[in-house]
Amino acid sequence: EVLGGKGRALIAWDCYSIGVDPAIFFGDPTFENADEIRNLLPTQRRTQTLGKGALSKLSSLYANNGGQVEGGVASLSHISRSSDDTTKLLLQLQDGLEVETVIIPWNGVRSTLCISSQVGCRQGCTFCATGRMGRLRSLSSDEILSQMFFARKICRLENLPEIKNIVFMGMGEPADNAENVVQACNVLTSRELFQLSASKVTVSTVAPDPSVFSKLSEAPCVLAWSVHAARDDLRKRLVPTTKYTMEELRSGLMKALLDRPPNFKRTAMIEVALISDVNDSLQEADELADFCRPIVEQVPGSKLIVNLIPFNDIGQELYKKPTDEAVENFKQRLWHQGICAHVRTTRGDDESAACGQLATKKKKSIFEGTNFR
């Protein structure tokens, strides 16, 4: 309606989906590689354009951001790539604050995009670099989606595998910005927009209170809970802002899952950052198995997966990475008790792009001086 026709809206989204800002592409007659870009658009719309009237209406959608996404909602400030091709993007927002998003390629077949929901985080997890920043502010839904826009652009330009999965596991606590996270998930999974399956979008929360699971379950996504420890005293040590017992929080997750249709949307992930001599013993594995069992047994159609994440160095001496043997023993202990568990492969840690390391630090960019279009 805003652009004056479905066809105009579709061509605009065709551009956004490959990381091209239609306001720039159709508004700049000197746009480089224009023919190459057109060949990436659907055949039936390759000759279609947006005229001055449509461009004016399009810019009105981003009136507070210079009339466009690129250079308006956000600008690509810095790029770094690790030895395993994990690529971290630093985006500068209109107010000068910066946020990170990470492209994680897998075997040259697909990529996962780790998205941030806030600049900083107020939850203060003691093993996480973002928690040290405190919360500066939440991101708008446009700012959240701009991470997908720039990631699609870099995947296209650098021949990285297509983004097939989204995880809200970057900077920030999604539950503290639930409205914008839910709105962004709706756009990411819309058939006419970014076209991802809801089963390929995961929203992770530390669960500040039991009700947040129901709020986030309004999004078309898989729910993930950053548990880290099943025992209340240990969990409080790792997540000092915790105000509820683990039993109370688990009840909130179970209620949210039960309120969902009994299909894949009842899939849930339990995440544990394993830290040497803190929460990586077989005792903690037994406690976690006992903690997870009611979810499996009392939520019909549920599929529970425990995601074990070896601690990544954040530049302090308080915690250390667990041994491979300890991680494997922890995983096997869960499996032996009937709990499905996997170990997340560490990616991007040599560029501070791994889980828990995001804190808008800059190293020399591998793409400095490049004009990205």
Side-chain angles (χ1 to χ4, degrees):
E1 292 181 7
V2 173
L3 297 186
K6 184 176 181 179
R8 294 188 180 96
L10 288 173
I11 192 64
W13 269 104
D14 291 336
C15 291
Y16 289 132
S17 67
I18 59 173
V20 173
D21 192 331
I24 300 174
F25 180 61
F26 293 111
D28 181 1
T30 65
F31 193 96
E32 297 178 8
N33 305 319
D35 290 340
E36 179 182 334
I37 296 299
R38 287 194 179 278
N39 286 335
L40 297 174
L41 302 176
T43 304
Q44 67 272 28
R45 289 193 287 276
R46 287 179 183 173
T47 60
Q48 187 172 343
T49 63
L50 293 179
K52 290 183 179 180
L55 289 173
S56 176
K57 294 175 181 177
L58 183 64
S59 68
S60 70
L61 296 176
Y62 307 104
N64 296 325
N65 294 290
Q68 57 195 48
V69 173
E70 187 165 6
V73 175
S75 300
L76 187 55
S77 170
H78 188 84
I79 307 176
S80 59
R81 182 179 293 173
S82 66
S83 57
D84 59 16
D85 282 341
T86 296
T87 303
K88 181 168 69 173
L89 312 182
L90 182 65
L91 304 183
Q92 186 175 68
L93 308 175
Q94 192 181 46
D95 60 5
L97 293 176
E98 294 179 317
V99 68
E100 291 178 331
T101 190
V102 182
I103 305 167
I104 309 168
W106 296 98
N107 301 319
V109 176
R110 60 179 172 83
S111 291
T112 294
L113 182 64
C114 182
I115 280 183
S116 297
S117 57
Q118 297 179 304
V119 182
C121 181
R122 72 180 180 90
Q123 297 306 321
C125 297
T126 56
F127 51 86
C128 178
T130 308
R132 292 176 165 189
M133 297 174 62
R135 181 180 63 181
L136 300 181
R137 72 169 175 85
S138 293
L139 301 182
S140 68
S141 58
D142 284 339
E143 289 170 334
I144 294 172
L145 292 167
S146 73
Q147 297 170 66
M148 180 64 156
F149 169 86
F150 282 106
R152 285 274 179 92
K153 172 186 282 289
I154 295 304
C155 285
R156 169 172 57 83
L157 293 175
E158 297 303 315
N159 200 31
L160 292 173
E162 182 182 357
I163 294 169
K164 298 287 185 67
N165 297 75
I166 298 288
V167 291
F168 280 80
M169 299 180 185
M171 300 171 66
E173 166 51 56
D176 288 336
N177 190 20
E179 181 179 353
N180 287 315
V181 168
V182 170
Q183 186 174 348
C185 287
N186 286 328
V187 174
L188 289 168
T189 57
S190 170
R191 290 184 179 182
E192 294 182 335
L193 305 180
F194 282 117
Q195 304 178 351
L196 292 173
S197 166
S199 64
K200 302 299 182 182
V201 177
T202 300
V203 176
S204 176
T205 177
V206 77
D209 69 75
S211 69
V212 301
F213 295 111
S214 293
K215 293 177 183 177
L216 292 175
S217 70
E218 295 175 7
C221 70
V222 174
L223 292 176
W225 181 15
S226 295
V227 168
H228 307 307
R231 199 171 70 245
D232 284 325
D233 62 327
L234 181 53
R235 218 265 177 160
K236 181 72 172 178
R237 172 183 168 188
L238 297 172
V239 188
T241 54
T242 297
K243 296 180 180 178
Y244 295 84
T245 67
M246 293 302 287
E247 184 176 345
E248 290 172 322
L249 294 172
R250 181 180 61 194
S251 295
L253 173 62
M254 292 172 64
K255 179 182 183 303
L257 293 176
L258 286 167
D259 287 342
R260 286 185 151 191
N263 52 25
F264 74 86
K265 290 184 179 179
R266 285 189 176 176
T267 299
M269 294 176 61
I270 297 293
E271 297 170 317
V272 180
L274 286 179
I275 304 169
S276 179
D277 297 326
V278 175
N279 65 345
D280 66 339
S281 74
L282 296 183
Q283 176 187 339
E284 277 84 35
D286 291 338
E287 291 169 352
L288 184 63
D290 291 341
F291 180 77
C292 291
R293 197 164 289 113
I295 303 174
V296 176
E297 295 176 349
Q298 298 176 32
V299 180
S302 65
K303 179 182 178 182
L304 186 72
I305 302 168
V306 175
N307 197 6
L308 303 175
I309 310 165
F311 170 74
N312 294 302
D313 178 46
I314 59 171
Q316 47 92 335
E317 298 180 356
L318 181 62
Y319 297 132
K320 294 181 180 179
K321 192 181 186 75
T323 65
D324 292 342
E325 181 181 9
V327 174
E328 181 63 21
N329 289 341
F330 198 105
K331 183 186 77 171
Q332 292 299 328
R333 188 74 158 216
L334 292 175
W335 275 104
H336 289 160
Q337 299 198 49
I339 303 299
C340 176
H342 298 285
V343 178
R344 183 188 297 177
T345 302
T346 299
R347 302 290 302 276
D349 55 327
D350 55 331
E351 284 292 337
S352 297
C355 184
Q357 293 184 320
L358 302 187
T360 63
K361 294 188 298 183
K362 285 186 180 181
K363 294 183 179 180
K364 182 176 175 62
S365 173
I366 60 172
F367 301 118
E368 282 186 351
T370 304
N371 179 25
F372 287 106
R373 283 194 167 180

